[in-house]
Amino acid sequence: MIRLGLVGRKLGHSYSRFLFTEKFAALGIEGEYAMYELENIKEVRDIVRQHRLNGFNVTIPYKESIIPLLDRIDPKARAIGAVNTVSVSDDTTLTGYNTDIDGFDALLNSAIAKHWYRPRKSTPSAVILGTGGAAKSVAYVLSLHNADITLISRSTSPLGWIKKAGYKQASYSELTDSILYHTDIIVNATPLGMYPDTDAAPPINYDAIQPHSIALDLIYNPQETKFMKLCLAHGVYTANGMRMLEVQAEEAWKIWNDTT
Ligand code: NAP
């Protein structure tokens, strides 16, 4: 029996249980993927012990705050500063990994392959909305594509990790039409528009986004978010986060099979 799960604060939006239940059935494995809604991430060790977990995923808002609670961390996850997959060995040893990177890389590559537009510049301009755990993975992948990256925050206070990585930071009021006009790739890495608040969208001027751009939403529930609808209305290529979800889950599955 393999016991897996998802740790986060509110999990009504998640498809992970569905994905893993399908996987157990397809492979003929006896397994369970349970949802653990925690008020405080410090409860995680009790959950692991009580439910004898072999591994788990981590979601909003704990991808960063889980790091001090781990025994070991994969160097890439440490460098990025976000963990979305944890393996449990010897019943209590927690090792953290980041498979959102693989997921976002797959989403970005499939969008570039399907879109008529190929980045015209060797340094494409990328705008990432949000500065949380997922934004860290998105920025890392875009940096490997040699992108010029600006992260947009509600806050005007500079964030250390953004400066350290050499990215730019701006507030929503500093996100000018000129920046949006020259943006090749725009990513919604905020929860705005996610079920059940499906009428929400990041507060940017959608009229300034050009049809040559690619707009990616990490949200997959609903399938077409308000952010995607607003971008589509301007002829922009859009994709949701389903491909990212599937690939990060596949990579997590490989880690659990190799390490537990
Ligand atoms: P998170 O750590 O909670 O961070 C999200 C960021 O969004 C925050 O740091 C914040 O940045 C901004 N934000 C939060 N609430 C906001 C609001 N009301 N208005 C404007 N901005 C707001 O979450 P996350 O783990 O990074 O995840 C972000 C989104 O990506 C979620 O929808 C999640 O479901 C999705 N996701 C999908 C996948 C997938 O596989 N498809 C994987 C990972 C994440 P500022 O404070 O700087 O504004």
Side-chain angles (χ1 to χ4, degrees):
M1 171 80 172
I2 178 156
R3 293 183 184 83
L4 303 172
L6 176 64
V7 166
R9 190 170 283 146
K10 290 264 175 291
L11 300 175
H13 68 280
S14 178
Y15 278 20
S16 293
R17 181 187 235 163
F18 173 73
L19 283 184
F20 280 101
T21 305
E22 265 196 339
K23 183 170 267 307
F24 295 142
L27 297 176
I29 290 174
E30 198 189 340
E32 180 183 87
Y33 189 97
M35 311 296 252
Y36 300 104
E37 293 192 340
L38 307 188
E39 273 310 311
N40 189 321
I41 189 59
K42 289 188 178 152
E43 298 162 42
V44 74
R45 280 198 178 265
D46 291 340
I47 295 290
V48 167
R49 200 174 40 245
Q50 279 163 22
H51 299 273
R52 292 187 289 140
L53 294 183
N54 302 106
F56 57 94
N57 289 123
V58 183
T59 189
I60 305 176
Y62 298 133
K63 288 183 180 180
E64 293 149 304
S65 52
I66 188 139
I67 292 177
L69 305 173
L70 300 171
D71 299 294
R72 296 193 294 232
I73 182 164
D74 174 72
K76 219 184 269 179
R78 182 184 293 288
I80 292 164
V83 160
N84 76 315
T85 300
V86 177
S87 70
V88 184
S89 46
D90 309 324
D91 293 335
T92 54
T93 304
L94 306 185
T95 307
Y97 302 86
N98 187 312
T99 67
D100 280 340
I101 313 166
D102 308 286
F104 183 71
D105 194 44
L107 172 62
L108 179 63
N109 286 330
S110 89
I112 290 172
K114 284 180 195 157
H115 189 32
W116 57 268
Y117 168 75
R118 298 282 176 278
R120 298 154 298 174
K121 309 170 238 161
S122 55
T123 306
S125 300
V127 165
I128 303 169
L129 308 170
T131 64
K136 285 182 170 171
S137 306
V138 169
Y140 175 80
V141 172
L142 285 166
S143 73
L144 300 182
H145 286 254
N146 207 25
D148 178 37
I149 298 164
T150 306
L151 288 115
I152 309 301
S153 174
R154 290 165 298 174
S155 164
T156 49
S157 310
L159 288 166
W161 72 267
I162 295 180
K163 198 171 171 203
K164 194 169 157 206
Y167 309 138
K168 293 177 204 150
Q169 181 182 336
S171 63
Y172 284 90
S173 60
E174 291 165 335
L175 180 57
T176 59
D177 288 0
S178 167
I179 297 175
L180 284 170
Y181 181 87
H182 291 102
T183 296
D184 299 305
I185 301 160
I186 181 163
V187 182
N188 179 24
T190 77
L192 289 172
M194 186 168 71
Y195 175 85
D197 298 319
T198 53
D199 268 345
I204 61 171
N205 181 10
Y206 292 87
D207 291 335
I209 302 178
Q210 294 303 297
H212 69 253
S213 325
I214 290 173
L216 302 175
D217 201 328
L218 304 194
I219 294 170
Y220 52 82
N221 181 10
Q223 282 182 25
E224 191 173 85
T225 62
K226 185 150 181 211
F227 168 77
M228 290 168 65
K229 284 183 184 141
L230 290 165
C231 290
L232 265 174
H234 292 85
V236 174
Y237 177 90
T238 64
N240 68 23
M242 188 52 89
R243 172 100 183 117
M244 177 172 176
L245 179 79
E246 288 167 351
V247 173
Q248 65 78 26
E250 261 323 304
E251 294 302 315
W253 178 249
K254 285 184 203 160
I255 288 169
W256 292 325
N257 279 294
D258 287 349
T259 57
T260 60

